[in-house]
Amino acid sequence: MKYDRIDKQLYIKNRKNFTAQMVANALAVFNSNDIYPVSADSTLPFAQHRDILFLSGVDQEESILVLFPDAKNENHREVLFLKETSDLIAVWEGEKLNKEQAFEVSGIKTVYWLNQFPVIFKQMMAEASAVYLNTNEHLRANTEVETREDRFIKQVKVDFPAHQVRKSAPIMHRIRSVKDQIELDLMQRACKITEAGVRRVLGFVKPGVWEYEIEAELAHEFLRNRSNGFAYTPIIASGKNACVLHYIENNQQCKEGDVILLDVGAEYANYSSDLTRCIPVSGRFTDRQRQVYDAVLHVKKEAEKLLVPGTIMAEYHKEVGRIMEGQLVSLGLIDQTDIKNQNPDWPAYKKYFMHGTSHFLGLDTHDVGIWHEPIQAGMVFTCEPGIYIPEEGLGIRLEDDLVVQSSGAPFNLMKDIPLEAEEIEDLMNA
Ligand code: GLY
Ligand code: MN
Ligand code: MN
């Protein structure tokens, strides 16, 4: 692991928050992710499942966490099953957690090797009447791949058909969405690493650079700061490419007069930062680019003010749409007739601003959370309005990461990252 050890109190507290919401005499199981294959003997780098990570800090494949708060055997109230290691195995397979280290990371005293799982789990299930299974209920999740968790769920249902089944996901979405101070500090660190990358790029960009060269500068800055790299596939989109919302080719040359949209964030300790900035290739915005930039900035500043406890995100998105509508009229992009004739399900402003303004942020970039309940202090949201004008070869989005406070304006984890157009220009021309 490149990141510094995280205080295990975080995981002790997270488990307490989870078990407090379980029904009596139930156990819950959380599996790690697989290491995903490419072909031959190649694999993708390991990325831990965020739920087992959140509840234990174990950042290692082939791990299982079982929580059984009512277990008669005190040692079975929280149990980790890990891939066996020893000095000999470590020589061949590299460093894995031994039982003492697993306790240091997680605060869990009972650690078994994975090959003991079938026997011990059977004993635990014999005592339990319900089992919490961890299905992926993220609204945008869309994958054909069967995860290790999915395989486990299938098998449990075959092996223990008489148990009552419960869902972990609603509890996880609730407890993961409100961040502990330890998590906020980690997210702040991710944002600081992103800031270092942005500042580096502001001194690097000039006409003729290639989008992938910018990507390389960012990767360099992220890695030298103990990040594993990008929290999500970076978007480095110059000119009209910025109007393709999921542009990730990053293979074009940046031309004088164009604006580059950078949607790039470092991860740190598996926590995401998520930033968007737009910078002029030549170091100065044209008047029109500046008009559009300032319109987006205005919407962002107004939207942020709404990220306070009690806000309902569906209403927030509608309100931001109204603010954006005013700006698009001022820019001459839509008019009153467009608004009068608009489809209420797809208002006129959506022609130029077709995505949402905010999402939960945390261990996942599009983090889990409960969308229909009022937002609370300690939740972290992005705020990322944009205007995309393909006919002008221009797309502007501005995105920061904000922590909802118990009162007053949200705290901006990216407050030190240049945002105002003049500041961007000054730094590019320094
Ligand atoms: N970078 C992904 C997003 O902004 O949602
Ligand atoms: Mn983003
Ligand atoms: Mn985002």
Side-chain angles (χ1 to χ4, degrees):
M1 255 38 89
K2 295 197 186 82
Y3 54 87
D4 296 323
R5 170 73 56 79
I6 296 166
D7 184 347
K8 61 176 173 290
Q9 291 309 320
L10 173 64
Y11 307 113
I12 293 170
K13 176 185 148 188
N14 291 345
R15 289 194 295 277
K16 222 163 123 198
N17 285 344
F18 185 90
T19 54
Q21 296 192 46
M22 292 172 74
V23 297
N25 205 34
L27 63 74
V29 188
F30 298 89
N31 279 272
S32 64
N33 271 338
D34 285 316
I35 296 178
Y36 292 105
V38 178
S39 56
D41 65 352
S42 311
T43 59
L44 298 176
F46 176 65
Q48 181 59 296
H49 192 292
R50 290 347 192 194
D51 289 332
I52 188 171
L53 192 64
F54 179 82
L55 294 168
S56 72
V58 169
D59 195 354
Q60 178 171 301
E61 74 281 8
E62 294 184 51
S63 310
I64 304 176
L65 169 67
V66 182
L67 300 177
F68 189 6
D70 296 335
K72 291 195 180 63
N73 177 349
E74 223 177 281
N75 295 329
H76 281 180
R77 295 192 179 153
E78 14 180 66
V79 185
L80 274 173
F81 295 87
L82 302 181
K83 187 173 165 156
E84 182 167 2
T85 192
S86 65
D87 289 348
L88 180 68
I89 294 172
V91 170
W92 290 90
E93 302 206 6
E95 196 61 32
K96 299 285 165 202
L97 292 174
N98 63 33
K99 293 184 180 184
E100 292 75 32
Q101 289 164 335
F103 169 72
E104 278 313 314
V105 165
S106 66
I108 296 175
K109 294 198 191 84
T110 308
V111 182
Y112 294 115
W113 298 133
L114 194 59
N115 59 11
Q116 296 171 278
F117 180 77
V119 170
I120 294 171
F121 185 63
K122 197 168 179 181
Q123 290 166 8
M124 294 173 90
M125 282 295 269
E127 202 183 307
S129 24
V131 58
Y132 281 80
L133 299 177
N134 195 26
T135 47
N136 184 350
E137 296 197 6
H138 191 285
L139 297 175
R140 290 206 214 166
N142 176 23
T143 167
E144 289 185 14
V145 176
E146 186 176 62
T147 63
R148 195 173 180 87
E149 196 80 76
D150 296 333
R151 295 199 303 276
F152 174 77
I153 289 170
K154 267 191 191 165
Q155 196 57 48
V156 165
K157 289 185 155 183
V158 171
D159 293 346
F160 303 97
H163 280 69
Q164 215 189 92
V165 170
R166 299 239 164 198
K167 301 199 297 182
S168 297
I171 306 179
M172 291 307 296
H173 290 202
R174 188 175 297 284
I175 64 176
R176 277 181 53 187
S177 65
V178 178
K179 271 61 181 177
D180 184 272
Q181 189 57 47
I182 294 174
E183 295 185 281
L184 293 176
D185 292 346
L186 294 167
M187 293 180 76
Q188 180 66 83
R189 186 148 172 192
C191 291
K192 288 310 275 182
I193 298 172
T194 299
E195 176 182 346
V198 169
R199 290 188 183 277
R200 185 182 178 103
V201 163
L202 289 175
F204 172 78
V205 165
K206 55 182 184 314
V209 299
W210 292 77
E211 293 165 350
Y212 54 76
E213 292 182 290
I214 299 172
E215 183 174 341
E217 293 296 309
L218 289 161
H220 179 99
E221 198 62 40
F222 292 178
L223 289 169
R224 70 195 284 267
N225 281 295
R226 287 183 173 262
S227 165
N228 264 333
F230 294 98
Y232 52 89
T233 311
I235 298 171
I236 310 208
S238 59
K240 65 175 172 25
N241 299 333
C243 299
V244 179
L245 295 181
H246 292 153
Y247 175 82
I248 50 170
E249 276 75 20
N250 304 347
N251 62 2
Q252 296 300 302
Q253 199 168 21
C254 303
K255 301 200 179 60
E256 177 124 38
D258 278 349
V259 170
I260 313 169
L261 183 153
L262 307 162
D263 187 341
V264 293
E267 72 83 53
Y268 178 74
N270 293 299
Y271 283 86
S272 288
S273 66
D274 187 2
L275 166 121
T276 309
R277 289 292 183 271
C278 293
I279 65 175
V281 175
S282 53
R284 299 259 173 237
F285 292 104
T286 65
D287 289 348
R288 175 62 171 171
Q289 289 166 350
R290 180 64 193 269
Q291 265 184 334
V292 179
Y293 191 100
D294 286 346
V296 175
L297 188 55
H298 172 82
V299 177
K300 178 174 170 293
K301 287 178 179 172
E302 291 301 307
E304 282 171 14
K305 293 182 195 160
L306 305 173
L307 290 173
V308 293
T311 291
I312 303 281
M313 290 312 276
E315 288 166 12
Y316 162 86
H317 277 101
K318 275 195 199 137
E319 182 56 25
V320 177
R322 275 193 284 276
I323 300 166
M324 179 60 88
E325 179 185 275
Q327 294 299 306
L328 294 177
V329 171
S330 301
L331 291 169
L333 290 167
I334 60 173
D335 60 23
Q336 293 306 330
T337 314
D338 297 321
I339 296 168
K340 204 172 85 206
N341 296 334
Q342 73 189 3
N343 171 357
D345 294 333
W346 192 255
Y349 75 79
K350 294 251 186 202
K351 179 171 178 201
Y352 295 99
F353 174 39
M354 59 297 279
H355 58 75
T357 308
S358 293
H359 55 79
F360 289 93
L361 183 76
L363 283 167
D364 285 294
T365 303
H366 292 166
D367 211 30
V368 293
I370 301 189
W371 279 96
H372 54 272
E373 288 184 5
I375 69 174
Q376 297 173 39
M379 291 182 168
V380 182
F381 290 97
T382 63
C383 183
E384 48 180 306
I387 296 177
Y388 310 91
I389 322 173
E391 56 274 25
E392 297 182 27
L394 177 64
I396 304 281
R397 176 166 66 254
L398 298 171
E399 175 175 26
D400 279 341
D401 302 342
L402 300 132
V403 188
V404 178
Q405 303 293 291
S406 50
S407 66
F411 179 80
N412 189 343
L413 294 167
M414 295 182 152
K415 66 181 168 47
D416 297 331
I417 307 184
L419 174 65
E420 298 287 336
E422 290 90 2
E423 194 185 356
I424 303 254
E425 290 183 339
D426 288 350
L427 287 165
M428 292 186 79
N429 291 290

